[in-house]
């Protein structure tokens, strides 16, 4: 009996012992670590805020400067400039040789778009060579692309179909091999378009003169215009983010530093600058940014043509978008790891440009922006809710600074201001994948060089409506059969949503005075919506 009584007393004392142990760990480890995390996130938020504010002030200054110049510019000067472009095109002897490179991989839905647009460029036919670099592994698609090239060749277009027996180096390897062709070595400039990009006919007339006018310019980059931005909320959200990138980041980089990241397409390179920088390398998944950084370190300058837009397609399925964002987040972080010694040792660029490259371009935009979004809004704030009152969370960090950053971003896409809340919540969910990818790139883990080609559907939903109707009518005349279509489930997003929901309920039940549960409920709902596959276009299996 005595032993039973002692056992019961010991069992009754376990809760008190565990509670005391938790209080000791909480005050000695959890609270200090969480407070440190708050301060680190506050510092990163301020870094991002100052960078965005600086770029906003530069854009405002450029707008005022250009407005003043437009007032002083006479109509005669504009007419003279247009006449010079017309004269240059009319005189074939004065037009430089231009190579158009179109890399593609199993692009069944869009290959005709880019080839047709490139063949329709307004440039003397004997001064233009179009090179289709087809790395397709599907024999039927290779045949389709080759037939399309032969069709345009029959119309008198100088077009070359190139196919490799391997995919070494992926896109970078294909373009490097393409530049080794004898006809490619005769070209002074190289224009690059991905398979879904459709330049207007005057693209070369508006970009090549900028290169010829200044021999120190290596690259002219155009902006993107999205043909399927209205397909779904996923494409609208992408449009908001990319509009800021082109209207602000690229513009500021061109105006203040003569440098910005090459977008990999819709740009024209000086062939001599590419060779001077060492050509294409496949050491990361952002071969375009790699080439741009090396060219910058050799003293070359870039020009951004913000008034020139090239049509292209946004990924409209969440799976394609997630793979794209992994590559775009992992690649720059991995490139920073590899190119940092080259930046430090370079003697052809100023210290100011080195600081811009390392701090602003790479560290703040490619690393800090991803990490602070995920750590602060998806980890630190929920954790602070669980230890209410013991961790100081400044309101300027949690509310004011993020609000200003968000408004600066959204200013570039006024037509989507009503989607601002959805954009914030979705970006917070995506920050989990971007942060993970950035860390993988920094430590060069197993997925650092993963390359998955972004799937394209071949244009906007409106453009595909006729095909859908025809397919539907065809099915009406076939015997009916049951078919069950399920959406893809994403486990990480579901776990994220469950954790945030728990924190929201905990805050609502036990505390709630700061109303964090409102944000946590909305954020958990966004994570569940993404997790159950209800974001982006739904493409059922055939």
């Amino acid at each position: 009996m005595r032993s039973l009584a002692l056992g019961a007393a010991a069992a009754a004392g376990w809760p008190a012992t565990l509670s005391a142990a938790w209080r000791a760990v909480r005050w000695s480890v959890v609270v200090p670590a969480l407070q440190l995390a708050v301060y680190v996130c506050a510092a990163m938020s301020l870094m991002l805020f100052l960078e965005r504010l600086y770029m906003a002030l530069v854009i405002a200054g450029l707008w005022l400067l250009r407005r003043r110049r437009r007032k002083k510019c006479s109509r005669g000067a504009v007419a003279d400039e247009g006449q010079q472009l017309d004269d240059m095109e009319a005189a074939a002897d004065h037009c430089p040789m231009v190579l158009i490179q179109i890399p593609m991989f199993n692009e069944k839905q869009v290959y005709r778009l880019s080839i047709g647009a490139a063949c329709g460029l307004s440039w003397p036919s004997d001064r233009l060579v179009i090179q289709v670099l087809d790395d397709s592994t599907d024999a039927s698609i290779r045949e389709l692309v080759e037939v399309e090239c032969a069709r345009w060749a029959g119309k008198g277009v100088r077009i070359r179909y190139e196919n490799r027996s391997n995919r070494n180096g992926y896109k970078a390897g294909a373009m490097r091999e393409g530049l080794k062709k004898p006809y490619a070595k005769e070209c002074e400039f190289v224009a690059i378009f991905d398979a879904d990009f459709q330049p207007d006919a005057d693209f070369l007339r508006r970009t090549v003169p900028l290169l010829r006018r200044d021999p120190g310019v290596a690259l002219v980059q155009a902006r993107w215009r999205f043909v399927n931005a209205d397909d779904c909320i996923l494409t609208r959200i992408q449009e908001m983010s990319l509009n800021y990138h082109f209207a602000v980041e690229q513009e500021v980089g061109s105006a203040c530093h003569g440098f910005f990241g090459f977008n990999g397409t819709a740009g024209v390179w000086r062939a001599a600058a590419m060779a001077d920088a060492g050509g294409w390398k496949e050491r990361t998944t952002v071969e375009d940014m790699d080439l741009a950084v090396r060219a910058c370190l050799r003293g070359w300058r870039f020009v951004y043509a913000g008034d020139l837009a090239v049509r292209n397609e946004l990924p409209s399925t969440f799976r394609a978008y997630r793979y794209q964002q992994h590559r775009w987040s992992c690649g720059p972080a991995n490139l920073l790891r590899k190119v940092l010694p080259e930046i430090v040792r370079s003697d052809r660029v100023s210290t100011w440009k080195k600081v811009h490259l390392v701090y602003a371009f790479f560290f703040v935009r490619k690393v800090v922006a991803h990490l602070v979004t995920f750590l602060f809004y998806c980890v630190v704030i929920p954790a602070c809710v669980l230890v209410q009152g013991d961790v100081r969370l400044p309101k300027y960090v949690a509310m004011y600074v993020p609000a200003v950053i968000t408004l600066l971003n959204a200013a570039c896409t006024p037509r989507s201001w009503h989607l601002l809340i959805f954009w914030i919540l979705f970006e917070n969910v995506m920050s989990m994948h971007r942060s993970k990818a950035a860390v993988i790139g920094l430590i060069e883990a197993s997925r650092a060089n993963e390359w998955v080609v972004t799937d394209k559907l071949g244009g906007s939903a409106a453009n595909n409506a006729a095909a859908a109707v025809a397919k539907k009518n065809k099915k009406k005349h076939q015997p009916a059969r049951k078919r069950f279509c399920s959406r893809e489930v994403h486990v990480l997003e579901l776990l994220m949503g469950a954790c945030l929901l728990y924190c929201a309920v905990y805050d609502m039940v036990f505390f709630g005075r700061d109303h964090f549960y409102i944000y946590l409920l909305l954020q958990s709902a966004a994570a569940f919506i993404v997790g159950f596959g209800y974001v982006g276009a739904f493409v059922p299996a055939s």
Side-chain angles (χ1 to χ4, degrees):
M1 293 294 294
R2 184 178 180 183
S3 61
L4 290 175
L6 290 174
W14 268 110
T17 303
L18 289 175
S19 178
W22 163 242
R23 284 196 299 269
V25 172
R26 171 174 174 158
W27 286 106
S28 61
V29 178
V30 176
V31 171
L34 197 53
Q35 189 66 68
L36 178 62
V38 169
Y39 291 143
V40 171
C41 289
M44 290 193 294
S45 295
L46 289 175
M47 291 166 63
L48 187 60
F49 168 75
L50 292 175
E51 172 69 11
R52 295 291 173 91
L53 183 60
Y54 157 74
M55 290 191 291
L57 293 174
V58 171
I59 289 297
L62 290 174
W63 182 80
L64 292 173
L65 181 62
R66 288 168 181 170
R67 185 180 180 183
R68 182 179 300 178
R69 286 179 178 176
R70 280 196 297 266
K71 289 181 178 180
K72 293 182 178 180
C73 184
S74 64
R75 292 183 178 180
V78 175
D80 291 342
E81 183 178 355
Q83 185 63 39
Q84 290 175 5
L85 293 177
D86 292 338
D87 293 343
M88 185 187 71
E89 183 185 7
D93 294 339
H94 294 87
C95 285
M97 285 290 296
V98 177
L99 174 69
I100 307 292
Q101 285 193 317
I102 308 176
M104 57 179 62
F105 175 74
N106 293 337
E107 308 282 3
K108 183 178 180 179
Q109 304 296 333
V110 296
Y111 71 94
R112 286 194 181 94
L113 300 177
S114 56
I115 294 176
C119 293
L121 288 171
S122 177
W123 202 254
S125 59
D126 61 329
R127 313 298 293 174
L128 182 68
V129 182
I130 299 171
Q131 184 184 67
V132 177
L133 304 167
D134 186 16
D135 273 2
S136 298
T137 53
D138 189 318
S140 62
I141 297 178
R142 284 203 307 269
E143 183 179 357
L144 290 173
V145 177
E146 190 171 7
V147 168
E148 181 69 9
C149 292
R151 186 174 72 86
W152 282 102
K155 296 181 179 181
V157 178
R158 294 183 64 188
I159 185 170
R160 301 288 186 272
Y161 174 80
E162 305 289 350
N163 177 255
R164 300 189 298 167
S165 58
N166 59 72
R167 291 193 67 209
N168 293 339
Y170 301 109
K171 179 180 175 180
M175 291 190 291
R176 182 176 59 239
E177 293 299 317
L179 291 176
K180 294 179 180 179
K181 303 298 179 181
Y183 60 85
K185 295 179 180 179
E186 301 174 359
C187 298
E188 184 178 352
F189 302 110
V190 181
I192 301 170
F193 300 104
D194 282 349
D196 59 311
F197 277 72
Q198 307 163 57
D200 291 334
D202 63 347
F203 179 85
L204 294 179
R205 293 182 58 207
R206 298 177 63 182
T207 53
V208 172
L210 298 175
L211 289 160
R212 301 195 73 189
R213 190 180 305 156
D214 188 345
V217 173
L219 166 69
V220 175
Q221 172 73 60
R223 70 175 299 159
W224 299 356
R225 185 170 77 244
F226 314 109
V227 299
N228 65 330
D230 294 325
D231 270 10
C232 57
I233 193 171
L234 175 61
T235 53
R236 290 289 290 272
I237 288 173
Q238 292 178 71
E239 182 190 33
M240 292 178 68
S241 299
L242 288 172
N243 278 351
Y244 178 84
H245 167 71
F246 284 106
V248 178
E249 292 179 347
Q250 300 293 73
E251 191 75 61
V252 171
S254 175
C256 297
H257 309 283
F259 168 79
F260 48 81
F262 174 45
N263 295 118
T265 179
V268 184
W269 276 91
R270 188 184 302 273
M274 299 177 72
D276 183 54
W280 294 105
K281 293 183 179 180
E282 64 271 15
R283 56 180 176 174
T284 69
T285 57
V286 284
E287 70 293 324
D288 42 16
M289 187 181 296
D290 189 358
L291 177 61
V293 171
R294 285 184 280 113
C296 173
L297 296 179
R298 296 290 295 174
W300 293 95
R301 289 176 285 104
F302 304 158
V303 172
Y304 173 64
D307 59 340
L308 177 60
V310 178
R311 291 163 291 158
N312 74 295
E313 179 183 338
L314 292 166
S316 54
T317 65
F318 181 69
R319 180 182 180 86
Y321 180 65
R322 189 178 60 182
Y323 278 122
Q324 181 199 68
Q325 291 302 299
H326 174 85
R327 188 172 74 248
W328 285 6
S329 302
C330 178
N334 189 232
L335 180 61
L336 172 61
R337 169 193 175 106
K338 295 179 178 179
V339 83
L340 182 60
E342 300 176 30
I343 297 176
V344 173
R345 291 195 303 265
S346 176
D347 56 358
R348 295 197 179 187
V349 296
S350 64
T351 302
W352 169 243
K353 183 170 283 191
K354 291 181 181 181
V355 171
H356 169 72
L357 274 170
V358 175
Y359 174 77
F361 182 76
F362 276 114
F363 185 62
V364 175
R365 299 182 201 172
K366 312 301 183 185
V367 178
V368 168
H370 302 324
L371 294 180
V372 70
T373 305
F374 175 66
L375 292 177
F376 189 54
Y377 299 105
C378 302
V379 177
V380 173
I381 288 182
C384 287
V385 167
L386 299 179
V387 291
Q388 283 276 352
D390 298 331
V391 176
R392 180 175 176 269
L393 182 60
K395 285 188 176 181
Y396 75 89
V397 179
M399 298 174 57
Y400 306 138
V401 169
V404 175
I405 293 175
T406 301
L407 292 175
L408 290 175
N409 193 304
C412 298
T413 314
R415 79 186 192 100
S416 297
W417 283 351
H418 63 290
L419 299 175
L420 196 57
I421 299 299
F422 298 99
W423 179 79
I424 294 171
L425 298 174
F426 180 75
E427 287 294 294
N428 288 347
V429 174
M430 284 303 302
S431 68
M432 174 176 60
H433 296 288
R434 295 186 181 119
S435 299
K436 181 177 68 172
V439 172
I440 288 174
L442 286 173
I443 66 176
E444 203 163 15
S446 58
R447 291 186 62 195
N449 293 312
E450 180 184 76
W451 182 285
V452 178
V453 176
T454 305
D455 293 331
K456 292 106 177 176
L457 302 181
S460 65
N463 293 336
N464 294 328
V469 171
K471 186 175 181 180
K472 184 177 180 180
N473 291 335
K474 183 179 179 181
K475 286 185 176 181
K476 288 182 179 180
H477 301 286
Q478 295 178 352
R481 60 178 181 176
K482 287 187 177 181
R483 182 181 179 188
F484 298 93
C485 299
S486 60
R487 292 178 178 268
E488 186 176 6
V489 175
H490 308 285
V491 178
L492 288 179
E493 284 80 359
L494 294 179
L495 291 176
M496 178 183 181
C499 292
L500 293 174
L501 180 60
Y502 171 80
C503 294
V505 174
Y506 185 90
D507 183 48
M508 196 161 37
V509 172
F510 295 102
F511 300 98
R513 61 178 179 269
D514 291 326
H515 301 95
F516 279 123
Y517 63 86
I518 298 176
Y519 158 71
L520 293 172
L521 285 173
L522 291 173
Q523 191 61 70
S524 65
F528 281 127
I529 290 172
V530 175
F532 284 113
Y534 285 94
V535 169
F538 176 47
V539 182
S542 57

